[in-house]
Amino acid sequence: MQDALTQLNSIVGEVVDLHRAASLLEWDEQVYMPQGGAPVHGEMVATIRKTAHEKLTSDEVGRLVERLEPTLPQLDRDSDEHRTIAVTARDYHKAKQVPAEFVAEQAQAVSAAQHAWIEARSRSDYAHFRPHLEKLIDLKRRYVGFFPPKAHPYDTLLDEFEPGITTADIHALFAVIRPRQVALIREIAERPQVDDSFLHVPYPEQELWQFGEEVISAFGFDWSRGRQDKSVHPFATGIGPDDVRITTRVVENEPFSLFFGTAHETGHALYEQGINRAFGRTLLADAASLGVHESQSRLWENLVGRSLPFWECFFPTLQGMFPSQLGGVTLEQFYRGINKVQRSLVRVESDEATYNLHIMLRVEMEIAMLTGSADAKDLPELWNARMQEYLGLVPDNDAKGILQDIHWSIGAIGYFATYTLGNVISAQIWEQIQRDNPDRDDRIRRGDFSALLAWLRTHVHRFGRKYEPQELVQQVTGSRIDPEPYLRYLEGKYRNVYGIES
Amino acid sequence: MQDALTQLNSIVGEVVDLHRAASLLEWDEQVYMPQGGAPVHGEMVATIRKTAHEKLTSDEVGRLVERLEPTLPQLDRDSDEHRTIAVTARDYHKAKQVPAEFVAEQAQAVSAAQHAWIEARSRSDYAHFRPHLEKLIDLKRRYVGFFPPKAHPYDTLLDEFEPGITTADIHALFAVIRPRQVALIREIAERPQVDDSFLHVPYPEQELWQFGEEVISAFGFDWSRGRQDKSVHPFATGIGPDDVRITTRVVENEPFSLFFGTAHETGHALYEQGINRAFGRTLLADAASLGVHESQSRLWENLVGRSLPFWECFFPTLQGMFPSQLGGVTLEQFYRGINKVQRSLVRVESDEATYNLHIMLRVEMEIAMLTGSADAKDLPELWNARMQEYLGLVPDNDAKGILQDIHWSIGAIGYFATYTLGNVISAQIWEQIQRDNPDRDDRIRRGDFSALLAWLRTHVHRFGRKYEPQELVQQVTGSRIDPEPYLRYLEGKYRNVYGIES
């Protein structure tokens, strides 16, 4: 058996190498590729992903999985060995369901859709994107058809990004969150608005960049195993735990987007850097899910980076760096400024209090598209009606409405819910950290993040993909995924920021 | 037949994609990789190269090559079709000779040797590198043994880098070049030395960088299909013609190393950017050889970039940018300064007049190692004796002697001769350009490089790997590879710089 596992790991190691290489090429595409390189990059990545799929679904892997799966009952369920076999078998069986021609057809459709989306968004022309979206929806329906039926067809799509989470789970979560977030936003709207004008004056980019670097060095970002660059959209990429790269961006009139982008992506990066290196080139050397990943980015961006204890430590430094912009601003004013709630049309510009409403709208639309309860031609109207309902706003044009996100154009349908899961899980973890470390906030006030990072390493990061999200959250917090801690956090914080009596 | 070729090209296209991806990862390793990423990069590149080898030597490629090779006599020898089949068959048969286990064993040996070499060079400890070098020599002997015997065992190694060129060709070339270069250096040594002190004062890096960018933009470097970064050793990488990247470096006390590095690598890049895009992802979409590649870098670095007509155009700009460093320097003084001849221990710092002597020494040592006429333990002594003989200098330590170059540590034995071939071919091409464009130098004086680049595109670049080096040189210049133009150029230029009557 040990021999078979060694053989399996050796082939899977090549699959992992190939996916890591593809990730690095995709990083390069966003960060340093000259514009003319797009087609050759597309070809390289397609060949690498296709080759990885061929290797994973090879007869040899099939034979080894068949030999190893029956040994699972004899292995300690908690051992790395058991989990490596189980995760490899899961990925093998899933990949085997999907014909190679389908993979190729989808890759081509995505490539075409992405170009069409860029064009459509730039001229706010939904009709230009619509046939591509229809094609992608059709592909997703066929994809669902490759697998045994589940309680809901959308379950199969969710499973791509969040193993073990069902549509029913998401609906239940939204049912709790929606009314309370809507009520909170209404309460906030009745209060005088926060003044954040000092955040919208010019700040020299280089100093802000340097401030971000100082902060994430304090967080524990390991520069010998990572780097930061600029890109149009901030993102994090892990090429294994020893090469983890983040990006941030410069947004006109939103100078602090640079800093919060850095903090957010650092949360992702700390997770990747913390995955057990003994997992080597196995499939365990990855994140548990996108939701768990997002819990880490939200934790460092929001629960740490937009908290009062954090700025008690860092505001004096920031003020010293930018005396003309912040000299007359108090810590309290600054804290309220960076936590200003403002209903907005665009998800990536939205604040903590409204963010999940943007997500719900998208998830509901995805389900409607997949089940056919909404026709592609009616989607912009549906989008605008929901925006009005949830946020009381209607976009002037589709570029600021249904065309704003890249996700659908790259075939990522079933992805959005992971953002809300990330928010929810981050608050559950945050409360648990407080229980285990009563001096959590005092340490943050002193700029000491070592205990926090050590806790996350021990309880979350190192496990990589060993546990599924529900299992991990249960193990870390003693309960399943639960929205209450998140709602408590949100209501507590924003009633305080807006002076609302609870 | 057309079907078979389409099928073959489709598999070979994936081989090309994989090699391009590996090249980009290697670029990243030198330019942006965080230090901790070295092992994971090693794994990724090894898997990609191995996978490419597997695809190229697959049974399917074998069957297709077998079907297509017999059709060659019926095809126009000059057609892309003929050449694509011939080059693919050549690479397939070569790769098939080498067992996969040997490829893996060599990859491991190279990885170990490279680490040992870095260590050995840093403490100038040849003994630390010696067992690795012995292992690599042993591997090269075994490699030679996989192929039918040639006139000289070194022929098989040369063929890796310079198809069709033999050890006898190289010996014949050196026999002509050696005495005349030695005599020239002797004549120069008798003349008063040139003053280049103004090149060794501080120049602000950013302005020099900008000057380099202006120059290579004028050369015709296409920034939409390329970029420039910094690295420890300058190099150029082509990820296909639409993504070609160069690097340069900053050397203390040698500020112009930055500029000449840029000019040199741009020569390589213009070649890569000029390869016929219709070659797509076939094996023709590559350079003819390293020697032909080097002819392009030398041409732009030396024949253009160290020429008087070039500086007649650009010296006023440079002087305007650096008035305090160059305000009191005349064009003539500057030209002589950048062409100063100085015997030195280190190849990469050596000038045009002495460069080939460094190469000869290395090639002779490689042949001695391969044939066993020198033992690894005696190599440093042999190195130092030859340095004394050719350049009248002996290194203080092995770091500045036998350990100075990376080539052997990466298993590149048989590579060095291509530098001299590049010098020789560059001058042959240069004379031909003059014959075809009598106003060649006048245009350079005006900063107009369009006709020069167009000529190179038409006569050299676009053919990619379609022709072997001898065939290409014959076609371009009407004669085979011939050292006379190069010696004429060298003697003419340096007698002029040093005021020697000929």
Side-chain angles (χ1 to χ4, degrees):
Chain A
M1 187 226 122
Q2 203 51 56
D3 262 14
L5 184 54
T6 306
Q7 279 172 48
L8 184 64
N9 282 342
S10 150
I11 305 173
V12 169
E14 295 190 353
V15 174
V16 170
D17 288 337
L18 291 170
H19 283 302
R20 285 175 174 175
S23 298
L24 186 57
L25 296 188
E26 285 161 345
W27 170 86
D28 183 82
E29 209 167 319
Q30 302 299 323
V31 179
Y32 289 118
M33 182 187 78
Q35 163 207 337
V40 70
H41 275 248
E43 288 158 5
M44 289 189 293
V45 171
T47 289
I48 291 177
R49 298 268 189 219
K50 174 173 173 269
T51 304
H53 186 264
E54 283 166 4
K55 276 191 201 273
L56 181 62
T57 56
S58 66
D59 295 343
E60 209 178 340
V61 169
R63 272 192 304 274
L64 293 164
V65 164
E66 234 165 78
R67 270 197 55 198
L68 289 164
E69 267 189 316
T71 69
L72 284 176
Q74 292 122 56
L75 292 170
D76 173 8
R77 237 184 83 77
D78 224 39
S79 66
D80 291 351
E81 222 168 28
H82 184 291
R83 298 297 178 134
T84 304
I85 296 170
V87 166
T88 307
R90 178 186 195 276
D91 283 9
Y92 167 75
H93 292 304
K94 274 192 73 172
K96 264 303 210 195
Q97 296 298 313
V98 185
E101 308 82 61
F102 178 86
V103 174
E105 186 183 345
Q106 181 164 262
Q108 280 185 318
V110 161
S111 176
Q114 232 191 315
H115 286 104
W117 170 73
I118 293 168
E119 174 89 23
R121 192 173 74 154
S122 79
R123 47 177 220 245
S124 191
D125 178 4
Y126 174 71
H128 184 69
F129 181 55
R130 186 179 136 193
H132 296 275
L133 183 57
E134 284 171 340
K135 170 77 185 167
L136 291 170
I137 295 167
D138 174 57
L139 281 162
K140 289 298 160 189
R141 286 187 191 141
R142 281 161 57 200
Y143 179 82
V144 169
F146 295 137
F147 296 90
K150 300 194 173 189
H152 192 290
Y154 191 67
D155 287 354
T156 302
L157 302 188
L158 274 176
D159 194 65
E160 279 297 277
F161 305 105
E162 210 62 34
I165 303 292
T166 65
T167 312
D169 294 333
I170 299 294
H171 277 143
L173 205 61
F174 286 178
V176 178
I177 294 176
R178 187 186 293 107
R180 285 176 57 187
Q181 275 203 259
V182 169
L184 177 64
I185 296 165
R186 214 163 281 149
E187 288 174 42
I188 290 170
E190 285 161 15
R191 299 288 307 160
Q193 186 50 293
V194 155
D195 172 24
D196 69 343
S197 53
F198 50 86
L199 296 177
H200 303 282
V201 297
Y203 284 73
E205 183 190 320
Q206 215 187 325
E207 276 77 9
L208 262 183
W209 184 277
Q210 188 200 321
F211 175 72
E213 286 197 345
E214 278 171 33
V215 168
I216 69 175
S217 300
F219 283 177
F221 183 79
D222 181 348
W223 294 96
S224 78
R225 300 189 289 135
R227 51 179 293 118
Q228 177 173 242
D229 298 273
K230 260 192 259 182
S231 66
V232 176
H233 300 284
F235 67 102
T237 301
I239 323 293
D242 291 334
D243 186 352
V244 181
R245 306 182 181 197
I246 62 173
T247 70
T248 187
R249 66 172 168 183
V250 176
V251 182
E252 218 185 333
N253 298 323
E254 293 288 347
F256 278 84
S257 178
L258 181 77
F259 170 72
F260 288 109
T262 295
H264 179 96
E265 302 308 334
T266 297
H268 286 303
L270 292 172
Y271 186 11
E272 296 272 344
Q273 289 187 336
I275 292 173
N276 186 353
R277 295 162 91 194
F279 290 160
R281 295 148 74 229
T282 68
L283 295 174
L284 299 191
D286 204 342
S289 72
L290 290 189
V292 174
H293 229 311
E294 194 72 7
S295 77
Q296 299 307 296
S297 54
R298 297 285 166 172
L299 189 148
W300 290 95
E301 177 195 358
N302 291 332
L303 296 156
V304 176
R306 292 186 205 267
S307 75
L308 196 53
F310 174 82
W311 289 106
E312 284 176 42
C313 178
F314 282 96
F315 187 63
T317 308
L318 194 72
Q319 222 173 11
M321 287 175 93
F322 304 106
S324 69
Q325 294 91 340
L326 295 173
V329 176
T330 67
L331 168 64
E332 173 74 13
Q333 287 169 328
F334 183 79
Y335 170 68
R336 295 183 71 209
I338 59 166
N339 285 298
K340 179 181 178 181
V341 174
Q342 186 144 47
R343 292 168 302 150
S344 77
L345 291 165
V346 178
R347 178 183 60 85
V348 296
E349 291 164 10
S350 69
D351 50 70
E352 284 184 273
T354 56
Y355 193 92
N356 287 325
L357 298 174
H358 290 270
I359 298 305
M360 289 176 203
L361 176 157
R362 284 156 177 79
V363 173
E364 287 158 7
M365 290 195 56
E366 288 184 352
I367 293 173
M369 289 193 275
L370 186 71
T371 57
S373 75
D375 191 88
K377 77 172 181 335
D378 304 323
L379 293 177
E381 225 170 288
L382 191 60
W383 179 287
N384 296 350
R386 285 279 160 84
M387 279 302 288
Q388 174 64 46
E389 186 187 337
Y390 290 169
L391 288 157
L393 298 169
V394 176
D396 300 341
N397 60 50
D398 290 335
K400 288 187 175 174
I402 193 165
L403 292 174
Q404 69 182 258
D405 294 305
I406 193 174
H407 301 63
W408 295 342
S409 81
I410 58 169
I413 299 178
Y415 185 119
F416 280 116
T418 69
Y419 291 117
T420 291
L421 285 167
N423 285 330
V424 165
I425 297 169
S426 72
Q428 287 184 267
I429 291 176
W430 196 238
E431 287 195 352
Q432 187 60 41
I433 293 170
Q434 173 76 74
R435 283 192 288 273
D436 291 351
N437 299 275
D439 62 346
R440 184 194 70 185
D441 292 350
D442 283 339
R443 281 174 176 266
I444 292 176
R445 251 173 227 115
R446 296 197 303 269
D448 173 6
F449 303 94
S450 57
L452 173 56
L453 180 59
W455 191 97
L456 290 168
R457 288 267 193 265
T458 306
H459 295 90
V460 181
H461 298 174
R462 69 186 171 102
F463 296 117
R465 217 184 137 192
K466 186 168 174 177
Y467 302 115
E468 288 199 353
Q470 281 288 19
E471 201 181 3
L472 182 71
V473 172
Q474 177 78 43
Q475 186 172 298
V476 176
T477 68
S479 67
R480 290 168 63 83
I481 294 171
D482 168 14
E484 284 303 326
Y486 182 67
L487 291 167
R488 265 200 291 277
Y489 156 75
L490 217 55
E491 289 164 349
K493 174 172 179 174
Y494 286 95
R495 286 184 180 143
N496 171 284
V497 167
Y498 279 89
I500 299 164
E501 283 169 33
S502 49
Chain B
M1 187 226 122
Q2 202 50 57
D3 262 14
L5 185 54
T6 305
Q7 280 172 47
L8 183 64
N9 282 342
S10 150
I11 305 172
V12 168
E14 296 190 352
V15 175
V16 170
D17 288 337
L18 291 169
H19 283 301
R20 285 175 174 174
S23 298
L24 186 56
L25 296 187
E26 285 161 345
W27 170 87
D28 183 82
E29 209 168 319
Q30 302 298 322
V31 179
Y32 289 118
M33 181 187 77
Q35 163 206 339
V40 71
H41 274 249
E43 288 157 5
M44 289 190 293
V45 171
T47 290
I48 291 177
R49 298 270 189 216
K50 174 174 172 269
T51 305
H53 187 263
E54 282 166 4
K55 276 191 201 271
L56 182 63
T57 56
S58 66
D59 295 344
E60 209 178 339
V61 169
R63 271 193 303 275
L64 292 164
V65 165
E66 234 165 78
R67 270 196 58 198
L68 288 164
E69 266 189 316
T71 69
L72 284 176
Q74 292 122 56
L75 292 171
D76 173 7
R77 238 184 82 77
D78 225 38
S79 66
D80 291 351
E81 222 169 28
H82 184 291
R83 297 297 178 133
T84 304
I85 297 170
V87 166
T88 307
R90 179 185 195 276
D91 283 9
Y92 167 76
H93 291 305
K94 275 192 74 172
K96 264 303 210 196
Q97 297 298 313
V98 184
E101 307 82 61
F102 178 86
V103 174
E105 187 184 345
Q106 180 165 262
Q108 280 185 318
V110 161
S111 177
Q114 233 191 315
H115 286 105
W117 170 73
I118 292 168
E119 175 88 22
R121 192 173 72 155
S122 80
R123 47 177 219 244
S124 191
D125 177 4
Y126 173 72
H128 185 69
F129 180 55
R130 186 179 136 192
H132 297 275
L133 183 57
E134 284 170 341
K135 171 76 185 166
L136 290 170
I137 295 166
D138 174 56
L139 281 162
K140 290 297 161 189
R141 287 188 190 140
R142 281 161 58 199
Y143 179 82
V144 169
F146 295 136
F147 296 90
K150 300 193 172 189
H152 194 288
Y154 191 69
D155 288 354
T156 302
L157 302 188
L158 274 177
D159 194 64
E160 279 298 277
F161 305 103
E162 210 61 35
I165 302 293
T166 66
T167 313
D169 294 333
I170 299 295
H171 277 144
L173 205 61
F174 286 179
V176 178
I177 293 175
R178 188 185 294 108
R180 286 174 58 185
Q181 276 203 258
V182 168
L184 177 64
I185 297 164
R186 213 164 281 150
E187 287 174 42
I188 289 170
E190 284 162 16
R191 299 288 307 162
Q193 186 51 293
V194 156
D195 173 23
D196 70 343
S197 53
F198 49 86
L199 297 177
H200 303 282
V201 296
Y203 284 74
E205 184 190 318
Q206 214 186 326
E207 276 77 10
L208 261 184
W209 184 278
Q210 188 200 320
F211 175 72
E213 287 197 344
E214 278 171 32
V215 167
I216 69 176
S217 300
F219 284 176
F221 182 80
D222 181 348
W223 294 96
S224 78
R225 299 190 289 134
R227 51 178 294 117
Q228 177 173 241
D229 298 273
K230 259 193 260 183
S231 66
V232 176
H233 300 284
F235 67 101
T237 301
I239 324 293
D242 292 333
D243 187 353
V244 181
R245 306 181 181 198
I246 62 172
T247 71
T248 186
R249 65 172 169 182
V250 176
V251 182
E252 218 186 333
N253 298 323
E254 293 288 346
F256 278 84
S257 178
L258 181 78
F259 170 72
F260 288 109
T262 295
H264 179 96
E265 302 307 335
T266 297
H268 286 302
L270 292 172
Y271 186 11
E272 296 272 344
Q273 289 187 334
I275 292 173
N276 186 353
R277 296 162 90 193
F279 290 160
R281 295 149 72 230
T282 69
L283 296 174
L284 299 192
D286 204 341
S289 72
L290 290 188
V292 174
H293 228 310
E294 195 71 8
S295 76
Q296 299 306 296
S297 55
R298 297 285 166 170
L299 189 149
W300 290 95
E301 177 196 359
N302 292 333
L303 296 156
V304 176
R306 292 186 205 268
S307 74
L308 197 52
F310 173 80
W311 289 106
E312 284 176 42
C313 177
F314 283 96
F315 186 64
T317 308
L318 194 72
Q319 221 174 11
M321 288 175 93
F322 304 107
S324 69
Q325 294 91 339
L326 295 173
V329 177
T330 66
L331 168 65
E332 173 74 11
Q333 286 170 327
F334 183 80
Y335 171 68
R336 294 183 72 208
I338 59 167
N339 285 298
K340 180 180 177 180
V341 173
Q342 187 144 46
R343 292 168 303 150
S344 76
L345 290 164
V346 178
R347 178 183 61 84
V348 296
E349 291 165 9
S350 69
D351 52 69
E352 283 185 274
T354 56
Y355 194 91
N356 287 326
L357 297 173
H358 289 270
I359 297 305
M360 289 176 202
L361 177 156
R362 284 156 178 79
V363 173
E364 286 158 8
M365 290 195 57
E366 288 184 352
I367 293 173
M369 290 192 275
L370 185 71
T371 58
S373 75
D375 190 89
K377 78 170 181 335
D378 305 323
L379 293 177
E381 225 171 288
L382 192 60
W383 179 287
N384 296 350
R386 286 279 159 84
M387 278 302 287
Q388 175 63 46
E389 186 187 336
Y390 290 169
L391 288 158
L393 297 169
V394 176
D396 299 341
N397 60 50
D398 290 336
K400 288 187 175 174
I402 193 166
L403 292 173
Q404 69 181 259
D405 295 305
I406 194 175
H407 300 63
W408 295 342
S409 81
I410 58 168
I413 299 178
Y415 184 119
F416 281 116
T418 68
Y419 291 117
T420 291
L421 284 167
N423 285 329
V424 165
I425 296 170
S426 73
Q428 288 184 266
I429 291 176
W430 196 238
E431 287 196 352
Q432 186 60 40
I433 294 170
Q434 173 77 73
R435 282 191 288 274
D436 291 352
N437 300 276
D439 62 347
R440 184 194 71 186
D441 292 349
D442 283 339
R443 280 173 175 267
I444 293 176
R445 251 174 228 116
R446 297 196 304 268
D448 173 7
F449 303 95
S450 57
L452 173 57
L453 181 59
W455 190 98
L456 290 168
R457 289 266 193 266
T458 307
H459 294 91
V460 181
H461 299 173
R462 69 185 171 103
F463 296 117
R465 217 184 138 193
K466 186 167 173 177
Y467 302 114
E468 289 199 352
Q470 281 288 18
E471 200 181 3
L472 182 71
V473 172
Q474 176 79 43
Q475 187 172 299
V476 176
T477 69
S479 67
R480 288 168 64 83
I481 295 171
D482 169 13
E484 284 304 327
Y486 181 67
L487 290 167
R488 264 201 291 278
Y489 156 75
L490 217 55
E491 290 164 347
K493 174 172 178 174
Y494 286 94
R495 287 188 178 140
N496 170 283
V497 167
Y498 278 88
I500 299 163
E501 284 169 31
S502 50

